Amino acid sequence: MKKMVLMVMAACAIGFTSCGSKSQPAPADAEEVVATESADLDAAIGSITEQLSEQIEAKDAGKLQEVLATAQEKVTELIGDNPEVAKEYVQKVQEYLKANADKIKAFAGDNAAVQTAIEAIAAAPADAVVSGLKQAVDGMKTAGEGAVDVVKESAAEAKEAAKETANQAAEAAKEAAKEKANQAAEAAKEKANQAAEAAKEAAKDKAKKALGL
């Protein structure tokens, strides 16, 4: 998904550059890009057909299913780079599966998981497969962006709640300190009154003794 975003940004940058300048990219650069894409595609097709061949020869339905899943993941990856390249990749995989359909059926014909995996990539024309996967990728991207928004909103709410809790705690501590200070002042006042009363009584007793009373 990150790769798709970077590609969109790069495409926008190229578009802006084209608007601000009359110069056109050198044909040689475009040819190099096409050559690179073609080489990468050939390598990807060679890799997947080799893996499929290994599992067909081994007659391993479980591993074959895994390879088919890998092929579908590769299509999704290629869609982000170039849907046309992805379409060509699907066509080649479909041709291979069709050419080896009898061999696959011989050992995995009753395996529903394998048949589902094959149908996911071979039951429709290549452009339909690519279109369907592209819609799924776009849907996942939209869902991901929505999830990010929800997380941001939740984080903001949590931050606000934490701030409110901190304010309440500070206010409670302030009130507690104020109450404690009032209690201490009252206690000190009471103690001072008691001391004054005791001093008064002591002075009164001393005066009586001095008068011989």
Side-chain angles (χ1 to χ4, degrees), residues 13-68:
I14 292 171
F16 292 143
T17 303
S18 298
C19 291
S21 173
K22 293 183 179 179
S23 61
Q24 299 294 327
D29 294 339
E31 291 176 0
E32 288 179 4
V33 170
V34 172
T36 300
E37 289 182 345
S38 179
D40 292 342
L41 177 61
D42 290 342
I45 293 171
S47 175
I48 197 65
T49 53
E50 181 180 352
Q51 293 177 60
L52 289 169
S53 294
E54 289 177 357
Q55 304 315 321
I56 290 173
E57 291 299 321
K59 298 181 180 180
D60 190 331
K63 290 293 184 180
L64 179 62
Q65 181 186 349
E66 293 178 7
V67 174
L68 291 168

mmCIF file of all heavy atoms in Angstrom, residues 13-68:
data_model
loop_
_atom_site.group_PDB
_atom_site.id
_atom_site.type_symbol
_atom_site.label_atom_id
_atom_site.label_comp_id
_atom_site.label_asym_id
_atom_site.label_seq_id
_atom_site.Cartn_x
_atom_site.Cartn_y
_atom_site.Cartn_z
ATOM 1 N N ALA A 13 4.203 14.371 -9.333
ATOM 2 C CA ALA A 13 5.393 15.200 -9.529
ATOM 3 C C ALA A 13 5.766 15.287 -11.003
ATOM 4 O O ALA A 13 6.121 16.344 -11.522
ATOM 5 C CB ALA A 13 6.562 14.622 -8.718
ATOM 6 N N ILE A 14 5.674 14.167 -11.700
ATOM 7 C CA ILE A 14 5.983 14.153 -13.137
ATOM 8 C C ILE A 14 5.005 15.029 -13.894
ATOM 9 O O ILE A 14 5.355 15.764 -14.811
ATOM 10 C CB ILE A 14 5.937 12.710 -13.676
ATOM 11 C CG1 ILE A 14 7.087 11.895 -13.073
ATOM 12 C CG2 ILE A 14 6.022 12.696 -15.195
ATOM 13 C CD1 ILE A 14 7.002 10.418 -13.382
ATOM 14 N N GLY A 15 3.728 14.978 -13.489
ATOM 15 C CA GLY A 15 2.698 15.782 -14.143
ATOM 16 C C GLY A 15 2.964 17.263 -13.988
ATOM 17 O O GLY A 15 2.848 18.041 -14.935
ATOM 18 N N PHE A 16 3.326 17.687 -12.777
ATOM 19 C CA PHE A 16 3.617 19.102 -12.531
ATOM 20 C C PHE A 16 4.818 19.557 -13.349
ATOM 21 O O PHE A 16 4.868 20.648 -13.893
ATOM 22 C CB PHE A 16 3.879 19.344 -11.047
ATOM 23 C CG PHE A 16 2.647 19.161 -10.205
ATOM 24 C CD1 PHE A 16 2.736 18.590 -8.935
ATOM 25 C CD2 PHE A 16 1.389 19.533 -10.680
ATOM 26 C CE1 PHE A 16 1.599 18.415 -8.163
ATOM 27 C CE2 PHE A 16 0.255 19.348 -9.896
ATOM 28 C CZ PHE A 16 0.362 18.797 -8.652
ATOM 29 N N THR A 17 5.817 18.688 -13.424
ATOM 30 C CA THR A 17 7.019 19.034 -14.190
ATOM 31 C C THR A 17 6.686 19.210 -15.661
ATOM 32 O O THR A 17 7.173 20.118 -16.337
ATOM 33 C CB THR A 17 8.085 17.928 -14.021
ATOM 34 O OG1 THR A 17 8.360 17.773 -12.644
ATOM 35 C CG2 THR A 17 9.352 18.299 -14.764
ATOM 36 N N SER A 18 5.804 18.344 -16.165
ATOM 37 C CA SER A 18 5.418 18.422 -17.574
ATOM 38 C C SER A 18 4.679 19.714 -17.875
ATOM 39 O O SER A 18 4.856 20.312 -18.934
ATOM 40 C CB SER A 18 4.523 17.225 -17.931
ATOM 41 O OG SER A 18 5.233 16.028 -17.746
ATOM 42 N N CYS A 19 3.836 20.166 -16.918
ATOM 43 C CA CYS A 19 3.081 21.407 -17.124
ATOM 44 C C CYS A 19 3.995 22.618 -17.157
ATOM 45 O O CYS A 19 3.718 23.603 -17.819
ATOM 46 C CB CYS A 19 2.046 21.578 -16.008
ATOM 47 S SG CYS A 19 0.717 20.356 -16.100
ATOM 48 N N GLY A 20 5.081 22.567 -16.400
ATOM 49 C CA GLY A 20 5.950 23.740 -16.297
ATOM 50 C C GLY A 20 7.063 23.754 -17.317
ATOM 51 O O GLY A 20 7.865 24.676 -17.364
ATOM 52 N N SER A 21 7.162 22.725 -18.146
ATOM 53 C CA SER A 21 8.265 22.675 -19.103
ATOM 54 C C SER A 21 7.782 22.045 -20.387
ATOM 55 O O SER A 21 6.979 21.136 -20.396
ATOM 56 C CB SER A 21 9.417 21.852 -18.508
ATOM 57 O OG SER A 21 10.424 21.663 -19.476
ATOM 58 N N LYS A 22 8.303 22.515 -21.513
ATOM 59 C CA LYS A 22 7.913 21.979 -22.817
ATOM 60 C C LYS A 22 8.781 20.802 -23.227
ATOM 61 O O LYS A 22 8.517 20.157 -24.222
ATOM 62 C CB LYS A 22 8.012 23.087 -23.877
ATOM 63 C CG LYS A 22 6.992 24.207 -23.679
ATOM 64 C CD LYS A 22 7.093 25.230 -24.790
ATOM 65 C CE LYS A 22 6.075 26.343 -24.623
ATOM 66 N NZ LYS A 22 6.168 27.376 -25.692
ATOM 67 N N SER A 23 9.843 20.542 -22.466
ATOM 68 C CA SER A 23 10.750 19.462 -22.834
ATOM 69 C C SER A 23 10.071 18.136 -22.606
ATOM 70 O O SER A 23 9.324 17.945 -21.669
ATOM 71 C CB SER A 23 12.035 19.539 -21.993
ATOM 72 O OG SER A 23 11.731 19.405 -20.626
ATOM 73 N N GLN A 24 10.320 17.164 -23.460
ATOM 74 C CA GLN A 24 9.737 15.841 -23.384
ATOM 75 C C GLN A 24 10.804 14.861 -22.936
ATOM 76 O O GLN A 24 11.996 15.026 -23.234
ATOM 77 C CB GLN A 24 9.189 15.414 -24.763
ATOM 78 C CG GLN A 24 8.092 16.325 -25.290
ATOM 79 C CD GLN A 24 6.854 16.231 -24.417
ATOM 80 O OE1 GLN A 24 6.554 15.184 -23.873
ATOM 81 N NE2 GLN A 24 6.147 17.345 -24.280
ATOM 82 N N PRO A 25 10.419 13.796 -22.192
ATOM 83 C CA PRO A 25 11.413 12.807 -21.759
ATOM 84 C C PRO A 25 12.038 12.132 -22.971
ATOM 85 O O PRO A 25 11.388 11.909 -23.988
ATOM 86 C CB PRO A 25 10.582 11.810 -20.931
ATOM 87 C CG PRO A 25 9.182 12.002 -21.417
ATOM 88 C CD PRO A 25 9.073 13.452 -21.779
ATOM 89 N N ALA A 26 13.307 11.815 -22.825
ATOM 90 C CA ALA A 26 14.036 11.190 -23.933
ATOM 91 C C ALA A 26 13.447 9.836 -24.235
ATOM 92 O O ALA A 26 13.146 9.054 -23.336
ATOM 93 C CB ALA A 26 15.517 11.044 -23.552
ATOM 94 N N PRO A 27 13.233 9.504 -25.504
ATOM 95 C CA PRO A 27 12.679 8.197 -25.891
ATOM 96 C C PRO A 27 13.480 7.047 -25.329
ATOM 97 O O PRO A 27 12.925 6.011 -24.988
ATOM 98 C CB PRO A 27 12.752 8.233 -27.418
ATOM 99 C CG PRO A 27 12.702 9.700 -27.769
ATOM 100 C CD PRO A 27 13.462 10.372 -26.662
ATOM 101 N N ALA A 28 14.784 7.252 -25.208
ATOM 102 C CA ALA A 28 15.637 6.181 -24.697
ATOM 103 C C ALA A 28 15.239 5.820 -23.280
ATOM 104 O O ALA A 28 15.249 4.651 -22.889
ATOM 105 C CB ALA A 28 17.105 6.605 -24.755
ATOM 106 N N ASP A 29 14.857 6.822 -22.452
ATOM 107 C CA ASP A 29 14.454 6.554 -21.071
ATOM 108 C C ASP A 29 13.193 5.711 -21.045
ATOM 109 O O ASP A 29 13.074 4.771 -20.254
ATOM 110 C CB ASP A 29 14.206 7.878 -20.334
ATOM 111 C CG ASP A 29 15.494 8.676 -20.165
ATOM 112 O OD1 ASP A 29 16.559 8.054 -20.250
ATOM 113 O OD2 ASP A 29 15.410 9.901 -19.949
ATOM 114 N N ALA A 30 12.230 6.047 -21.890
ATOM 115 C CA ALA A 30 10.979 5.289 -21.945
ATOM 116 C C ALA A 30 11.257 3.854 -22.378
ATOM 117 O O ALA A 30 10.674 2.899 -21.855
ATOM 118 C CB ALA A 30 10.005 5.954 -22.921
ATOM 119 N N GLU A 31 12.161 3.698 -23.343
ATOM 120 C CA GLU A 31 12.508 2.363 -23.812
ATOM 121 C C GLU A 31 13.171 1.544 -22.707
ATOM 122 O O GLU A 31 12.927 0.344 -22.577
ATOM 123 C CB GLU A 31 13.440 2.461 -25.025
ATOM 124 C CG GLU A 31 12.746 3.026 -26.280
ATOM 125 C CD GLU A 31 13.714 3.209 -27.434
ATOM 126 O OE1 GLU A 31 14.917 2.890 -27.238
ATOM 127 O OE2 GLU A 31 13.294 3.667 -28.498
ATOM 128 N N GLU A 32 13.993 2.209 -21.895
ATOM 129 C CA GLU A 32 14.652 1.513 -20.781
ATOM 130 C C GLU A 32 13.621 1.040 -19.768
ATOM 131 O O GLU A 32 13.729 -0.064 -19.227
ATOM 132 C CB GLU A 32 15.663 2.438 -20.110
ATOM 133 C CG GLU A 32 16.908 2.701 -20.947
ATOM 134 C CD GLU A 32 17.868 3.644 -20.254
ATOM 135 O OE1 GLU A 32 17.586 4.013 -19.099
ATOM 136 O OE2 GLU A 32 18.880 4.016 -20.846
ATOM 137 N N VAL A 33 12.626 1.886 -19.493
ATOM 138 C CA VAL A 33 11.579 1.514 -18.541
ATOM 139 C C VAL A 33 10.816 0.292 -19.046
ATOM 140 O O VAL A 33 10.557 -0.655 -18.302
ATOM 141 C CB VAL A 33 10.595 2.687 -18.311
ATOM 142 C CG1 VAL A 33 9.373 2.218 -17.517
ATOM 143 C CG2 VAL A 33 11.295 3.825 -17.590
ATOM 144 N N VAL A 34 10.444 0.331 -20.338
ATOM 145 C CA VAL A 34 9.711 -0.789 -20.938
ATOM 146 C C VAL A 34 10.553 -2.059 -20.890
ATOM 147 O O VAL A 34 10.054 -3.149 -20.580
ATOM 148 C CB VAL A 34 9.316 -0.464 -22.392
ATOM 149 C CG1 VAL A 34 8.744 -1.703 -23.069
ATOM 150 C CG2 VAL A 34 8.314 0.682 -22.418
ATOM 151 N N ALA A 35 11.841 -1.916 -21.205
ATOM 152 C CA ALA A 35 12.736 -3.080 -21.203
ATOM 153 C C ALA A 35 12.860 -3.662 -19.803
ATOM 154 O O ALA A 35 12.854 -4.890 -19.619
ATOM 155 C CB ALA A 35 14.112 -2.674 -21.718
ATOM 156 N N THR A 36 12.947 -2.771 -18.802
ATOM 157 C CA THR A 36 13.053 -3.232 -17.417
ATOM 158 C C THR A 36 11.790 -3.955 -16.980
ATOM 159 O O THR A 36 11.848 -5.030 -16.368
ATOM 160 C CB THR A 36 13.310 -2.040 -16.474
ATOM 161 O OG1 THR A 36 14.527 -1.398 -16.853
ATOM 162 C CG2 THR A 36 13.422 -2.505 -15.028
ATOM 163 N N GLU A 37 10.636 -3.364 -17.312
ATOM 164 C CA GLU A 37 9.361 -3.990 -16.959
ATOM 165 C C GLU A 37 9.217 -5.349 -17.630
ATOM 166 O O GLU A 37 8.739 -6.306 -17.020
ATOM 167 C CB GLU A 37 8.192 -3.089 -17.370
ATOM 168 C CG GLU A 37 8.047 -1.833 -16.512
ATOM 169 C CD GLU A 37 6.851 -1.002 -16.933
ATOM 170 O OE1 GLU A 37 6.323 -1.245 -18.042
ATOM 171 O OE2 GLU A 37 6.439 -0.119 -16.169
ATOM 172 N N SER A 38 9.646 -5.426 -18.891
ATOM 173 C CA SER A 38 9.553 -6.682 -19.629
ATOM 174 C C SER A 38 10.440 -7.751 -19.004
ATOM 175 O O SER A 38 10.028 -8.913 -18.865
ATOM 176 C CB SER A 38 9.958 -6.453 -21.091
ATOM 177 O OG SER A 38 9.896 -7.658 -21.819
ATOM 178 N N ALA A 39 11.642 -7.343 -18.611
ATOM 179 C CA ALA A 39 12.576 -8.296 -17.994
ATOM 180 C C ALA A 39 12.034 -8.781 -16.657
ATOM 181 O O ALA A 39 12.099 -9.967 -16.331
ATOM 182 C CB ALA A 39 13.945 -7.641 -17.814
ATOM 183 N N ASP A 40 11.490 -7.847 -15.871
ATOM 184 C CA ASP A 40 10.917 -8.215 -14.571
ATOM 185 C C ASP A 40 9.723 -9.149 -14.749
ATOM 186 O O ASP A 40 9.546 -10.097 -13.985
ATOM 187 C CB ASP A 40 10.486 -6.959 -13.801
ATOM 188 C CG ASP A 40 11.670 -6.109 -13.364
ATOM 189 O OD1 ASP A 40 12.800 -6.634 -13.354
ATOM 190 O OD2 ASP A 40 11.455 -4.930 -13.025
ATOM 191 N N LEU A 41 8.909 -8.871 -15.757
ATOM 192 C CA LEU A 41 7.746 -9.705 -16.019
ATOM 193 C C LEU A 41 8.168 -11.112 -16.431
ATOM 194 O O LEU A 41 7.618 -12.107 -15.939
ATOM 195 C CB LEU A 41 6.878 -9.077 -17.109
ATOM 196 C CG LEU A 41 5.647 -9.878 -17.544
ATOM 197 C CD1 LEU A 41 4.706 -10.082 -16.360
ATOM 198 C CD2 LEU A 41 4.928 -9.167 -18.686
ATOM 199 N N ASP A 42 9.143 -11.186 -17.319
ATOM 200 C CA ASP A 42 9.637 -12.494 -17.766
ATOM 201 C C ASP A 42 10.170 -13.302 -16.579
ATOM 202 O O ASP A 42 9.932 -14.510 -16.477
ATOM 203 C CB ASP A 42 10.745 -12.321 -18.812
ATOM 204 C CG ASP A 42 10.198 -11.799 -20.141
ATOM 205 O OD1 ASP A 42 8.970 -11.895 -20.348
ATOM 206 O OD2 ASP A 42 10.991 -11.288 -20.948
ATOM 207 N N ALA A 43 10.887 -12.592 -15.679
ATOM 208 C CA ALA A 43 11.451 -13.269 -14.506
ATOM 209 C C ALA A 43 10.337 -13.760 -13.591
ATOM 210 O O ALA A 43 10.395 -14.884 -13.065
ATOM 211 C CB ALA A 43 12.372 -12.314 -13.747
ATOM 212 N N ALA A 44 9.305 -12.931 -13.405
ATOM 213 C CA ALA A 44 8.189 -13.309 -12.533
ATOM 214 C C ALA A 44 7.428 -14.493 -13.107
ATOM 215 O O ALA A 44 7.059 -15.430 -12.380
ATOM 216 C CB ALA A 44 7.246 -12.115 -12.347
ATOM 217 N N ILE A 45 7.186 -14.476 -14.424
ATOM 218 C CA ILE A 45 6.472 -15.579 -15.078
ATOM 219 C C ILE A 45 7.303 -16.860 -15.013
ATOM 220 O O ILE A 45 6.787 -17.944 -14.724
ATOM 221 C CB ILE A 45 6.150 -15.224 -16.545
ATOM 222 C CG1 ILE A 45 5.126 -14.076 -16.587
ATOM 223 C CG2 ILE A 45 5.621 -16.444 -17.288
ATOM 224 C CD1 ILE A 45 4.904 -13.510 -17.971
ATOM 225 N N GLY A 46 8.600 -16.721 -15.258
ATOM 226 C CA GLY A 46 9.481 -17.888 -15.190
ATOM 227 C C GLY A 46 9.489 -18.496 -13.799
ATOM 228 O O GLY A 46 9.464 -19.720 -13.638
ATOM 229 N N SER A 47 9.495 -17.633 -12.778
ATOM 230 C CA SER A 47 9.526 -18.111 -11.396
ATOM 231 C C SER A 47 8.245 -18.852 -11.029
ATOM 232 O O SER A 47 8.286 -19.948 -10.463
ATOM 233 C CB SER A 47 9.724 -16.930 -10.443
ATOM 234 O OG SER A 47 9.641 -17.347 -9.090
ATOM 235 N N ILE A 48 7.087 -18.271 -11.383
ATOM 236 C CA ILE A 48 5.820 -18.891 -10.977
ATOM 237 C C ILE A 48 5.565 -20.185 -11.741
ATOM 238 O O ILE A 48 5.068 -21.167 -11.171
ATOM 239 C CB ILE A 48 4.642 -17.901 -11.150
ATOM 240 C CG1 ILE A 48 3.428 -18.394 -10.347
ATOM 241 C CG2 ILE A 48 4.270 -17.725 -12.603
ATOM 242 C CD1 ILE A 48 3.638 -18.415 -8.853
ATOM 243 N N THR A 49 5.900 -20.219 -13.025
ATOM 244 C CA THR A 49 5.685 -21.457 -13.792
ATOM 245 C C THR A 49 6.621 -22.560 -13.305
ATOM 246 O O THR A 49 6.235 -23.743 -13.285
ATOM 247 C CB THR A 49 5.897 -21.212 -15.298
ATOM 248 O OG1 THR A 49 7.178 -20.607 -15.516
ATOM 249 C CG2 THR A 49 4.820 -20.310 -15.861
ATOM 250 N N GLU A 50 7.817 -22.190 -12.874
ATOM 251 C CA GLU A 50 8.748 -23.180 -12.336
ATOM 252 C C GLU A 50 8.194 -23.775 -11.040
ATOM 253 O O GLU A 50 8.247 -24.994 -10.825
ATOM 254 C CB GLU A 50 10.110 -22.535 -12.083
ATOM 255 C CG GLU A 50 11.154 -23.521 -11.538
ATOM 256 C CD GLU A 50 12.498 -22.862 -11.304
ATOM 257 O OE1 GLU A 50 12.676 -21.685 -11.698
ATOM 258 O OE2 GLU A 50 13.371 -23.522 -10.715
ATOM 259 N N GLN A 51 7.657 -22.895 -10.182
ATOM 260 C CA GLN A 51 7.086 -23.374 -8.923
ATOM 261 C C GLN A 51 5.859 -24.256 -9.163
ATOM 262 O O GLN A 51 5.667 -25.283 -8.505
ATOM 263 C CB GLN A 51 6.682 -22.181 -8.051
ATOM 264 C CG GLN A 51 7.866 -21.355 -7.556
ATOM 265 C CD GLN A 51 7.405 -20.150 -6.754
ATOM 266 O OE1 GLN A 51 6.745 -20.294 -5.725
ATOM 267 N NE2 GLN A 51 7.740 -18.955 -7.211
ATOM 268 N N LEU A 52 5.029 -23.855 -10.117
ATOM 269 C CA LEU A 52 3.854 -24.659 -10.445
ATOM 270 C C LEU A 52 4.274 -26.026 -10.988
ATOM 271 O O LEU A 52 3.693 -27.062 -10.621
ATOM 272 C CB LEU A 52 2.982 -23.927 -11.478
ATOM 273 C CG LEU A 52 2.222 -22.697 -10.966
ATOM 274 C CD1 LEU A 52 1.633 -21.917 -12.145
ATOM 275 C CD2 LEU A 52 1.114 -23.108 -10.000
ATOM 276 N N SER A 53 5.278 -26.037 -11.849
ATOM 277 C CA SER A 53 5.770 -27.295 -12.427
ATOM 278 C C SER A 53 6.258 -28.242 -11.335
ATOM 279 O O SER A 53 5.987 -29.452 -11.367
ATOM 280 C CB SER A 53 6.904 -27.008 -13.410
ATOM 281 O OG SER A 53 6.439 -26.283 -14.526
ATOM 282 N N GLU A 54 6.987 -27.692 -10.366
ATOM 283 C CA GLU A 54 7.531 -28.526 -9.281
ATOM 284 C C GLU A 54 6.407 -29.220 -8.516
ATOM 285 O O GLU A 54 6.503 -30.412 -8.203
ATOM 286 C CB GLU A 54 8.361 -27.664 -8.334
ATOM 287 C CG GLU A 54 9.680 -27.180 -8.927
ATOM 288 C CD GLU A 54 10.429 -26.262 -7.970
ATOM 289 O OE1 GLU A 54 9.877 -25.961 -6.880
ATOM 290 O OE2 GLU A 54 11.550 -25.844 -8.306
ATOM 291 N N GLN A 55 5.352 -28.476 -8.200
ATOM 292 C CA GLN A 55 4.267 -29.062 -7.407
ATOM 293 C C GLN A 55 3.384 -30.000 -8.231
ATOM 294 O O GLN A 55 2.829 -30.953 -7.698
ATOM 295 C CB GLN A 55 3.418 -27.943 -6.776
ATOM 296 C CG GLN A 55 4.210 -26.966 -5.926
ATOM 297 C CD GLN A 55 5.201 -27.658 -4.989
ATOM 298 O OE1 GLN A 55 4.907 -28.706 -4.409
ATOM 299 N NE2 GLN A 55 6.391 -27.077 -4.868
ATOM 300 N N ILE A 56 3.259 -29.722 -9.525
ATOM 301 C CA ILE A 56 2.505 -30.628 -10.398
ATOM 302 C C ILE A 56 3.258 -31.948 -10.530
ATOM 303 O O ILE A 56 2.657 -33.031 -10.477
ATOM 304 C CB ILE A 56 2.270 -29.990 -11.788
ATOM 305 C CG1 ILE A 56 1.274 -28.827 -11.659
ATOM 306 C CG2 ILE A 56 1.748 -31.022 -12.778
ATOM 307 C CD1 ILE A 56 1.100 -28.024 -12.935
ATOM 308 N N GLU A 57 4.574 -31.860 -10.688
ATOM 309 C CA GLU A 57 5.385 -33.079 -10.784
ATOM 310 C C GLU A 57 5.357 -33.834 -9.460
ATOM 311 O O GLU A 57 5.327 -35.071 -9.428
ATOM 312 C CB GLU A 57 6.830 -32.728 -11.160
ATOM 313 C CG GLU A 57 6.995 -32.206 -12.575
ATOM 314 C CD GLU A 57 6.558 -33.236 -13.620
ATOM 315 O OE1 GLU A 57 6.838 -34.444 -13.417
ATOM 316 O OE2 GLU A 57 5.928 -32.845 -14.619
ATOM 317 N N ALA A 58 5.359 -33.089 -8.346
ATOM 318 C CA ALA A 58 5.336 -33.723 -7.025
ATOM 319 C C ALA A 58 3.933 -34.194 -6.654
ATOM 320 O O ALA A 58 3.754 -34.926 -5.674
ATOM 321 C CB ALA A 58 5.849 -32.749 -5.974
ATOM 322 N N LYS A 59 2.934 -33.728 -7.413
ATOM 323 C CA LYS A 59 1.526 -34.043 -7.141
ATOM 324 C C LYS A 59 1.139 -33.679 -5.710
ATOM 325 O O LYS A 59 0.474 -34.437 -5.004
ATOM 326 C CB LYS A 59 1.261 -35.538 -7.399
ATOM 327 C CG LYS A 59 1.500 -35.946 -8.852
ATOM 328 C CD LYS A 59 1.200 -37.411 -9.085
ATOM 329 C CE LYS A 59 1.436 -37.792 -10.552
ATOM 330 N NZ LYS A 59 1.160 -39.221 -10.836
ATOM 331 N N ASP A 60 1.581 -32.496 -5.303
ATOM 332 C CA ASP A 60 1.333 -31.988 -3.947
ATOM 333 C C ASP A 60 0.252 -30.909 -4.025
ATOM 334 O O ASP A 60 0.536 -29.751 -4.357
ATOM 335 C CB ASP A 60 2.627 -31.421 -3.353
ATOM 336 C CG ASP A 60 2.504 -31.105 -1.873
ATOM 337 O OD1 ASP A 60 1.382 -30.782 -1.424
ATOM 338 O OD2 ASP A 60 3.525 -31.168 -1.162
ATOM 339 N N ALA A 61 -0.983 -31.278 -3.719
ATOM 340 C CA ALA A 61 -2.096 -30.336 -3.828
ATOM 341 C C ALA A 61 -1.958 -29.161 -2.864
ATOM 342 O O ALA A 61 -2.259 -28.014 -3.205
ATOM 343 C CB ALA A 61 -3.414 -31.064 -3.566
ATOM 344 N N GLY A 62 -1.488 -29.445 -1.646
ATOM 345 C CA GLY A 62 -1.333 -28.377 -0.654
ATOM 346 C C GLY A 62 -0.324 -27.335 -1.093
ATOM 347 O O GLY A 62 -0.585 -26.131 -1.016
ATOM 348 N N LYS A 63 0.827 -27.773 -1.564
ATOM 349 C CA LYS A 63 1.869 -26.848 -2.026
ATOM 350 C C LYS A 63 1.416 -26.108 -3.287
ATOM 351 O O LYS A 63 1.745 -24.936 -3.477
ATOM 352 C CB LYS A 63 3.165 -27.609 -2.294
ATOM 353 C CG LYS A 63 3.854 -28.139 -1.048
ATOM 354 C CD LYS A 63 4.368 -27.012 -0.174
ATOM 355 C CE LYS A 63 5.137 -27.536 1.023
ATOM 356 N NZ LYS A 63 5.648 -26.447 1.893
ATOM 357 N N LEU A 64 0.677 -26.810 -4.136
ATOM 358 C CA LEU A 64 0.173 -26.170 -5.351
ATOM 359 C C LEU A 64 -0.759 -25.015 -4.982
ATOM 360 O O LEU A 64 -0.705 -23.943 -5.597
ATOM 361 C CB LEU A 64 -0.568 -27.183 -6.215
ATOM 362 C CG LEU A 64 -1.175 -26.633 -7.517
ATOM 363 C CD1 LEU A 64 -0.083 -26.094 -8.428
ATOM 364 C CD2 LEU A 64 -1.980 -27.708 -8.230
ATOM 365 N N GLN A 65 -1.587 -25.232 -3.982
ATOM 366 C CA GLN A 65 -2.486 -24.171 -3.519
ATOM 367 C C GLN A 65 -1.682 -22.968 -3.027
ATOM 368 O O GLN A 65 -2.026 -21.813 -3.295
ATOM 369 C CB GLN A 65 -3.374 -24.697 -2.398
ATOM 370 C CG GLN A 65 -4.358 -23.662 -1.857
ATOM 371 C CD GLN A 65 -5.124 -24.170 -0.651
ATOM 372 O OE1 GLN A 65 -5.072 -25.349 -0.337
ATOM 373 N NE2 GLN A 65 -5.813 -23.281 0.028
ATOM 374 N N GLU A 66 -0.598 -23.219 -2.295
ATOM 375 C CA GLU A 66 0.254 -22.134 -1.795
ATOM 376 C C GLU A 66 0.873 -21.345 -2.952
ATOM 377 O O GLU A 66 0.957 -20.113 -2.905
ATOM 378 C CB GLU A 66 1.348 -22.699 -0.893
ATOM 379 C CG GLU A 66 0.832 -23.288 0.418
ATOM 380 C CD GLU A 66 1.942 -23.879 1.258
ATOM 381 O OE1 GLU A 66 3.123 -23.700 0.879
ATOM 382 O OE2 GLU A 66 1.638 -24.506 2.289
ATOM 383 N N VAL A 67 1.320 -22.058 -3.990
ATOM 384 C CA VAL A 67 1.926 -21.395 -5.152
ATOM 385 C C VAL A 67 0.890 -20.527 -5.869
ATOM 386 O O VAL A 67 1.187 -19.411 -6.299
ATOM 387 C CB VAL A 67 2.532 -22.428 -6.116
ATOM 388 C CG1 VAL A 67 3.032 -21.739 -7.389
ATOM 389 C CG2 VAL A 67 3.688 -23.166 -5.449
ATOM 390 N N LEU A 68 -0.325 -21.036 -5.992
ATOM 391 C CA LEU A 68 -1.399 -20.259 -6.624
ATOM 392 C C LEU A 68 -1.708 -18.997 -5.812
ATOM 393 O O LEU A 68 -1.983 -17.929 -6.378
ATOM 394 C CB LEU A 68 -2.651 -21.122 -6.763
ATOM 395 C CG LEU A 68 -2.557 -22.262 -7.787
ATOM 396 C CD1 LEU A 68 -3.738 -23.220 -7.632
ATOM 397 C CD2 LEU A 68 -2.517 -21.704 -9.210
#
